[in-house]
Amino acid sequence: MIEEFETKLGKVKIDTDKIVIFEYGIPGFESLKKFAILDPDSTYPIMWLVSLEDKDVAFPVTIPNLIRNDYEFILPKDLTEYLNLEKPEDAIILSILTIPENEEDITINLAAPIIISQNNHKGIQYLIDDSKYMIRHRLKEELERNEELLSVQKDGE
């Protein structure tokens, strides 16, 4: 079933099967439970996690492995069960971006990814217990680091 919602990006029609439920909310927005991912071509690779309950709430997000190809973490078993994840491909992993006026200062949150199950359409924000990931990584530095990593990997082939 298709429903129309007013979001921060304007009115959008969304298949209700694509609605993501954050039963526990997102930290700082615990009262908001229904979200959707909008993927306008004009902002690729930035997508938007938009609230379907508060038209003023939307988070710019991206796939963290596009920024850092060695990004990985282990999700605890209780959360894989809650999200009904049987294999890694069952999950959509997103990182929230902070986009200030100066593009040089864009940061990505690698410490607390958004994890969305494609099996049960539940979502969580998971805080990774690993000091190599921080709430604010400068995007430009991560992209430069990633290019170096890819170069080393290519040379090693």
Side-chain angles (χ1 to χ4, degrees), residues 22 24-27 71-79 83 93-96 108-116 123-137:
F22 287 79
Y24 305 103
I26 294 174
Y71 184 69
E72 63 183 11
F73 60 91
I74 295 173
L75 194 63
K77 185 176 181 183
D78 60 330
L79 293 178
L83 294 170
I93 310 294
L94 300 170
S95 288
I96 295 177
I108 184 169
N109 179 345
L110 295 175
I114 299 289
I115 303 165
I116 296 171
I124 60 169
Q125 186 172 26
Y126 173 62
L127 183 59
I128 299 172
D129 186 19
D130 188 328
S131 61
K132 70 181 176 184
Y133 299 127
M134 299 179 296
I135 300 291
R136 290 193 176 105
H137 289 263

Side-chain angles (χ1 to χ4, degrees), residues 40-106:
D41 290 340
S42 62
T43 64
Y44 180 84
I46 298 172
M47 297 173 275
W48 296 87
L49 183 64
V50 297
S51 171
L52 301 178
E53 299 167 309
D54 184 338
K55 66 181 177 103
D56 294 323
V57 175
F59 303 100
V61 295
T62 195
I63 298 169
N65 287 94
L66 291 177
I67 309 302
R68 188 168 174 163
N69 78 336
D70 62 344
Y71 184 69
E72 63 183 11
F73 60 91
I74 295 173
L75 194 63
K77 185 176 181 183
D78 60 330
L79 293 178
T80 60
E81 289 174 357
Y82 170 75
L83 294 170
N84 191 24
L85 303 175
E86 296 173 12
K87 54 189 181 300
E89 298 79 32
D90 293 340
I92 298 171
I93 310 294
L94 300 170
S95 288
I96 295 177
L97 299 165
T98 301
I99 305 175
E101 282 188 35
N102 183 356
E103 291 180 11
E104 296 285 317
D105 296 329
I106 294 174

